[in-house]
Amino acid sequence: QFNVQYSTKLFKRETVERMSQHFVNILKEVSQGIQIELNEIRMLSKAEENELLVEFNNTELKYIKEKTIQELFEEQVEKTPENVAVVFEEKHLTYRELNNRANQLARLLREKGVEPNTIVGIIVERSVEMLIGIMGILKAGGAYLPIDPNYPDKRKEFIFSDSDIDIVLAQEHLLNKDKDLFQKLSLKDVIVIDDEKVYSGNIFNLNIVNKEEDLAYIIYTSGTTGNPKGVMIEHRNVNNLVCGLREKIYRDLNDDLRVS
């Protein structure tokens, strides 16, 4: 028998009980073979070993991998068309509204030549237009490349040159702000994303032209150790991440409900 004294401000009761059981496990291991080396002593119980080595590593998820981001989004639109999808300050869009405007933008982008793995730059501040632009590019089949409007001109120029993009979505006031920069660049098209004339076409979903292994977006690194580098992310990567996060959220929520 042994007693344990501990500060309740530092440890929970169940933590100390677990540590006590570990100590008992160590005594059992040593008593069964006095020649045992320290690194051979197993202090965890069979249940703990199974949890750590098997259950925690069982990260395989069942999900439909052969889907693009826009397909998953359109499925949600069908389920909850009138639910609010995006909010920024006083503006908000339902799933149906966001989908309709993204479809109109996507048709314009396809007319400009956007196809699978075409990289489209997007220079916008936080706004509902940011989400419209992202979904519009994906629906067109392209991959979006976000460029922070607050980046120094040299960094913007490098990203434009390195990524070889020639189509850009931008808010009108940012075009005016960076007029000199845009004049330097040899861009094929610059679409003013907050111009209502952009949203006058067909609102129906477009046919899917890309696949799950195609590019979804590119993110450039900070460049603190040299020139920034573009990291290419595919649709299936995003699908995998979202499904994993959703699984964890549901699991944690169910655990909380069981506790309550």
Side-chain angles (χ1 to χ4, degrees):
Q1 293 182 346
F2 63 91
N3 295 319
V4 179
Q5 293 183 338
Y6 64 97
S7 170
T8 55
K9 292 182 179 179
L10 298 177
F11 299 98
K12 294 181 179 179
R13 179 184 178 90
E14 53 265 31
T15 301
V16 175
E17 288 178 344
R18 186 169 63 253
M19 292 168 65
S20 300
Q21 186 58 52
H22 289 166
F23 179 61
V24 171
N25 292 341
I26 290 172
L27 295 179
K28 288 180 178 179
E29 288 279 305
V30 173
S31 65
Q32 291 172 5
I34 59 173
Q35 302 301 322
I36 192 171
E37 295 186 359
L38 290 177
N39 64 353
E40 296 175 338
I41 295 176
R42 299 156 62 99
M43 71 177 190
L44 299 180
S45 65
K46 294 292 184 182
E48 285 178 311
E49 282 189 358
N50 183 70
E51 183 179 42
L52 290 173
L53 301 178
V54 179
E55 293 180 16
F56 285 176
N57 287 311
N58 184 20
T59 57
E60 184 176 352
L61 290 173
K62 293 182 180 179
Y63 68 98
I64 301 175
K65 300 178 182 180
E66 297 77 21
K67 287 193 176 183
T68 60
I69 298 170
Q70 66 266 31
E71 286 180 278
L72 297 172
F73 173 73
E74 288 168 3
E75 288 178 2
Q76 188 62 42
V77 174
E78 286 292 320
K79 294 176 184 176
T80 58
E82 304 309 323
N83 283 12
V84 174
V86 54
V87 177
F88 179 75
E89 294 181 347
E90 301 302 318
K91 293 183 179 180
H92 72 272
L93 293 175
T94 64
Y95 277 94
R96 187 196 304 278
E97 291 170 333
L98 175 56
N99 192 54
N100 290 348
R101 292 176 83 81
N103 284 336
Q104 291 172 321
L105 176 59
R107 282 188 166 79
L108 177 60
L109 289 170
R110 282 201 184 169
E111 291 174 7
K112 302 290 186 182
V114 174
E115 56 186 21
N117 296 312
T118 298
I119 304 168
V120 180
I122 177 168
I123 304 179
V124 297
E125 294 175 336
R126 289 179 183 271
S127 59
V128 295
E129 285 79 22
M130 178 184 287
L131 270 296
I132 294 171
I134 288 173
M135 290 309 307
I137 294 169
L138 293 173
K139 280 172 168 284
Y144 67 91
L145 195 170
I147 302 172
D148 192 327
N150 297 315
Y151 282 161
D153 284 354
K154 285 187 177 180
R155 179 176 171 84
K156 292 178 188 174
E157 286 186 57
F158 174 83
I159 293 175
F160 274 107
S161 174
D162 188 64
S163 61
D164 199 29
I165 58 177
D166 55 14
I167 299 178
V168 174
L169 304 180
Q171 291 168 311
E172 186 173 13
H173 70 279
L174 295 178
L175 286 175
N176 295 330
K177 175 186 172 185
D178 289 335
K179 185 181 297 184
D180 293 340
L181 171 64
F182 280 99
Q183 287 177 347
K184 290 182 185 178
L185 303 170
S186 56
L187 298 172
K188 184 173 74 173
D189 281 295
V190 178
I191 298 173
V192 181
I193 197 171
D194 48 355
D195 184 353
E196 281 301 315
K197 295 178 183 177
V198 171
Y199 309 102
S200 58
N202 192 318
I203 62 173
F204 297 106
N205 291 336
L206 292 77
N207 60 311
I208 305 296
V209 296
N210 51 353
K211 299 178 180 178
E212 70 277 2
E213 66 265 23
D214 288 324
L215 284 181
Y217 64 89
I218 296 177
I219 294 290
Y220 270 77
T221 60
S222 63
T224 52
T225 58
N227 286 331
K229 297 175 179 62
V231 180
M232 299 185 291
I233 307 298
E234 300 172 354
H235 283 261
R236 57 187 172 187
N237 302 140
V238 180
N239 191 358
N240 188 351
L241 173 64
V242 171
C243 288
L245 292 174
R246 184 169 56 194
E247 180 74 15
K248 175 172 174 53
I249 291 170
Y250 287 160
R251 185 169 60 245
D252 291 349
L253 179 60
N254 288 332
D255 289 343
D256 290 342
L257 290 173
R258 281 196 293 270
V259 171
S260 60

